Amino acid sequence: RRWDRVEERVKDLVRRWSEEMKALILVGGFGTRLRPLTLSSPKPLVEFCNEAMVLHQIKALKSVGVTEVVLAVNYQPQTMAAFLEKQQAELGIKITASQETEPMGTAGPIKLAEKHLNDGEPFFVLNSDVSCAFPFEQMIQFHKERGAEGTLLVTKVEDPSSFGVVLYDEDGRIRSFVEKPKQFVGNRINAGVYLLSPGVFDRIPMRPTSIEKEIFPPMAQAGTLFCMELPGFWADVGKPKDYITGTSLFLGNLRSSKPESLASGPSFHGNVLIDPTAQIGSGCRIGPDVVIGPRCVVENGVRLVRSTLLPGSRVKSHSWISSSIIGWDSTVGEWARIENTSVLGEDVTIKNEVYVNGGVILPHKSVGEDISEPRIVM
């Protein structure tokens, strides 16, 4: 009982501390890695599992009491502003934009948004490509207990050679970073989610700056930078292949946390997420790891696996789609076959009986011939 009271007191302190917290989401630039989708929409507004990427993060932040979210924006600010205005009203959370006139790296935007963020309390910083279970409450507690200047989430990966590896002590104090190691030194990498104390503003110059290369290493040398291991799944969904993998991980997490949100019935196999406004024909086999967005139409006898249909798309009878993304208001003809990380931009038409293997098709195109080898259709 005594321990329960202590634990409750800590939780109460964390709740009170988070009541007025703020957060910065690094929205970034042109989203070139996710083209052709980002030719029609800023990357943070591209739907991921039927919700704008950035909305998953904003809702998670609001759930722990964050009252203001700042988006660091330097691409399509008008589109972002219209979206923010709508979401601000719906969610009851203040959302503001910090406009970059030039790309400011990963730390520059923090300095640029100081007037919004610096109220003397710690604040969150997130990369907008990241999808995970966002353990913000645990981060607050971890950060407070250690008196940290910065706390970052780390996640385990199978192959760390293309990432920056984080080396740290048992209590989470970071010793050093090793960028893209040739030999194995560890397999925990920076997950792109931070909790920073306001003293960090003094470390960042008002110029394009990398938080990973210029800010974190001196903090680690000073012994003020800590890391917390991320429980559960993590994905960087900024590239089509990773978007598809991230969708599988997100749906797997939904299966354990909110199974009632997934489709069930004879046509569905494994984890499938369907918007209520979508129409599904008879004799389909859908799943595993499929997302079907608002106003989509899937006709009879269609096979879908490891794929996402963005809002308004249509798949005609007896077509087969695997490991692909079908863009907004696109149409896939009858008996077509699409596979191997194919991505259709907005308003693309695939004619009947066409085969697409790894095709990246720009918006408003019509494809009437097979694409037998991966290529871009302009």
Side-chain angles (χ1 to χ4, degrees):
R1 283 184 189 171
R2 190 172 157 194
W3 171 245
D4 288 344
R5 283 199 301 274
V6 170
E7 194 174 28
E8 192 53 47
R9 275 195 68 191
V10 170
K11 284 184 178 177
D12 187 52
L13 279 169
V14 167
R15 274 194 296 270
R16 279 189 283 155
W17 196 41
S18 67
E19 275 172 7
E20 294 297 323
M21 285 187 74
K22 297 181 179 182
L24 177 72
I25 299 177
L26 300 172
V27 167
F30 300 106
T32 51
R33 298 186 306 157
L34 200 54
R35 284 180 179 168
L37 301 178
T38 49
L39 294 172
S40 300
S41 169
K43 183 173 60 178
L45 304 192
V46 172
E47 289 87 352
F48 173 74
C49 295
N50 281 349
E51 205 161 56
M53 285 186 189
V54 75
L55 207 49
H56 290 283
Q57 299 179 328
I58 292 172
K59 287 183 174 181
L61 288 163
K62 184 178 186 294
S63 72
V64 294
V66 169
T67 55
E68 181 175 357
V69 175
V70 181
L71 300 192
V73 180
N74 67 10
Y75 176 57
Q76 293 192 9
Q78 298 84 2
T79 309
M80 291 294 294
F83 171 82
L84 298 180
E85 199 171 314
K86 179 173 179 281
Q87 294 304 327
Q88 186 170 253
E90 286 184 10
L91 296 175
I93 183 172
K94 186 178 180 184
I95 307 174
T96 53
S98 175
Q99 177 73 45
E100 297 176 41
T101 54
E102 63 171 325
M104 292 287 282
T106 50
I110 299 172
K111 185 68 173 177
L112 195 64
E114 181 175 2
K115 63 184 178 186
H116 299 293
L117 297 170
N118 193 356
D119 59 1
E121 295 294 336
F123 58 95
F124 287 106
V125 177
L126 289 75
N127 290 335
S128 66
D129 294 351
V130 169
S131 177
C132 65
F134 298 116
F136 294 135
E137 200 163 300
Q138 296 97 306
M139 279 186 81
I140 294 168
Q141 190 167 331
F142 181 96
H143 188 86
K144 194 171 180 66
E145 285 172 353
R146 284 157 181 76
E149 185 180 7
T151 297
L152 57 132
L153 287 182
V154 293
T155 187
K156 182 179 177 181
V157 292
E158 294 301 318
D159 178 15
S161 62
S162 56
F163 297 96
V165 173
V166 184
L167 302 180
Y168 55 95
D169 297 331
E170 281 186 16
D171 68 343
R173 192 185 303 271
I174 294 174
R175 299 196 309 272
S176 62
F177 299 88
V178 182
E179 193 64 33
K180 298 181 180 176
K182 296 281 190 293
Q183 294 179 318
F184 183 85
V185 293
N187 57 4
R188 290 337 191 250
I189 66 163
N190 179 351
V193 179
Y194 319 129
L195 180 56
L196 304 175
S197 292
V200 166
F201 290 116
D202 296 332
R203 293 182 177 272
I204 304 173
M206 184 62 86
R207 61 170 172 79
T209 312
S210 165
I211 198 166
E212 299 86 356
K213 294 176 182 174
E214 298 176 70
I215 307 304
F216 282 161
M219 290 171 69
Q221 283 180 344
T224 61
L225 187 63
F226 290 78
C227 65
M228 184 184 113
E229 292 194 19
L230 173 65
F233 82 101
W234 175 85
D236 175 336
V237 296
K239 292 190 289 191
K241 187 177 179 182
D242 297 332
Y243 178 104
I244 292 165
T245 301
T247 297
S248 300
L249 294 169
F250 184 93
L251 295 178
N253 184 63
L254 266 189
R255 171 64 66 189
S256 56
S257 64
K258 205 177 174 185
E260 69 279 2
S261 63
L262 297 173
S264 59
S267 295
F268 307 114
H269 305 268
N271 299 327
V272 178
L273 183 65
I274 302 179
D275 186 88
T277 61
Q279 300 174 41
I280 311 294
S282 62
C284 294
R285 184 177 173 88
I286 297 172
D289 303 327
V290 168
V291 175
I292 299 175
R295 307 181 316 282
C296 288
V297 177
V298 177
E299 295 185 4
N300 299 339
V302 166
R303 175 73 172 109
L304 302 174
V305 58
R306 274 180 65 84
S307 295
T308 290
L309 308 186
L310 291 175
S313 55
R314 174 184 286 268
V315 181
K316 293 190 175 180
S317 300
H318 307 294
S319 285
W320 193 95
I321 300 175
S322 172
S323 298
S324 296
I325 304 170
I326 308 301
W328 306 273
D329 301 314
S330 289
T331 300
V332 176
E334 296 179 1
W335 295 99
R337 183 181 179 102
I338 299 175
E339 63 185 0
N340 190 22
T341 322
S342 292
V343 185
L344 277 54
E346 180 186 15
D347 182 37
V348 166
T349 299
I350 304 295
K351 298 290 184 68
N352 294 347
E353 301 179 25
V354 166
Y355 172 55
V356 179
N357 172 29
V360 174
I361 303 166
L362 271 61
H364 315 298
K365 299 293 174 187
S366 179
V367 178
E369 297 179 351
D370 289 353
I371 300 171
S372 55
E373 296 295 329
R375 64 183 175 94
I376 297 171
V377 176
M378 301 179 71

